Amino acid sequence: MAILPSIDNNTRKRELTDKQEAFLQHLVETQGDAREAAKLAGYSSHYHHVVKTLKSEILELTQEVLANSAPKAAFKLVEIMESKRPIIQANNKLAAAQTLLDRVGVGKVDRVDVNHKVNSGGIFLMPDKQPLDLEEGDYEDISN
């Protein structure tokens, strides 16, 4: 018996035409050149229409490309950190690796430490104010 509920892996993906599948394949082969990918897939119309139609599939493909490159980025960070000799464009490579890792969710975590220690003393809480019940003669009118 499973403790966690099962995950439905039968998520419905829309059916793509052979041309659309070819476009996505060529998009990877051309390293993101949508114009060339559309041409290789056999599209005669403008490639912007193809990109607009396949937007969600292209975004999913982009996430896969970044996820596949994440280990390489991690190793590049370690290589730069451990290198005993100068590395050409180390700052650019470091920034690119950090950005890629941030985008796939392996980035730096910012934490805020909230410290409520007061060095000059504590906080003194006053009770709620009560109305005063004064009777005639308990006070003198000095408004004149």
Side-chain angles (χ1 to χ4, degrees), residues 23-44:
F23 172 79
L24 292 173
Q25 181 66 34
H26 290 299
L27 192 60
V28 173
E29 292 168 2
T30 61
Q31 297 184 355
D33 187 345
R35 179 186 312 241
E36 185 65 21
K39 181 180 165 186
L40 292 171
Y43 284 97
S44 58

Side-chain angles (χ1 to χ4, degrees), residues 120-137:
S120 63
I123 298 173
F124 186 75
L125 299 176
M126 300 291 295
D128 291 339
K129 293 182 178 180
Q130 301 282 332
L132 292 176
D133 290 330
L134 298 177
E135 294 185 21
E136 192 69 33

Side-chain angles (χ1 to χ4, degrees), residues 97-116:
Q98 287 174 332
T99 300
L100 190 142
L101 291 172
D102 287 343
R103 290 176 189 254
V104 296
V106 188
K108 175 178 85 169
V109 177
D110 291 328
R111 294 192 180 148
V112 177
D113 183 21
V114 179
N115 188 349
H116 290 289

Side-chain angles (χ1 to χ4, degrees), residues 10-82:
N10 297 329
T11 55
R12 297 252 181 211
K13 289 189 176 187
R14 69 181 178 138
E15 294 291 323
L16 300 178
T17 66
D18 290 340
K19 263 187 169 180
Q20 290 172 327
E21 290 282 349
F23 172 79
L24 292 173
Q25 181 66 34
H26 290 299
L27 192 60
V28 173
E29 292 168 2
T30 61
Q31 297 184 355
D33 187 345
R35 179 186 312 241
E36 185 65 21
K39 181 180 165 186
L40 292 171
Y43 284 97
S44 58
S45 63
H46 207 271
Y47 72 97
H48 289 292
H49 176 70
V50 180
V51 171
K52 185 176 180 182
T53 304
L54 295 174
K55 180 180 177 181
S56 62
E57 287 80 8
I58 292 170
L59 290 175
E60 184 178 323
L61 183 64
T62 303
Q63 289 175 333
E64 289 176 18
V65 168
L66 289 175
N68 287 331
S69 298
K72 186 175 182 179
F75 284 111
K76 184 55 74 177
L77 288 175
V78 173
E79 176 189 336
I80 291 171
M81 179 183 70
E82 293 180 347

Side-chain angles (χ1 to χ4, degrees), residues 1-7:
M1 177 161 87
I3 297 173
L4 298 174
S6 63
I7 298 172

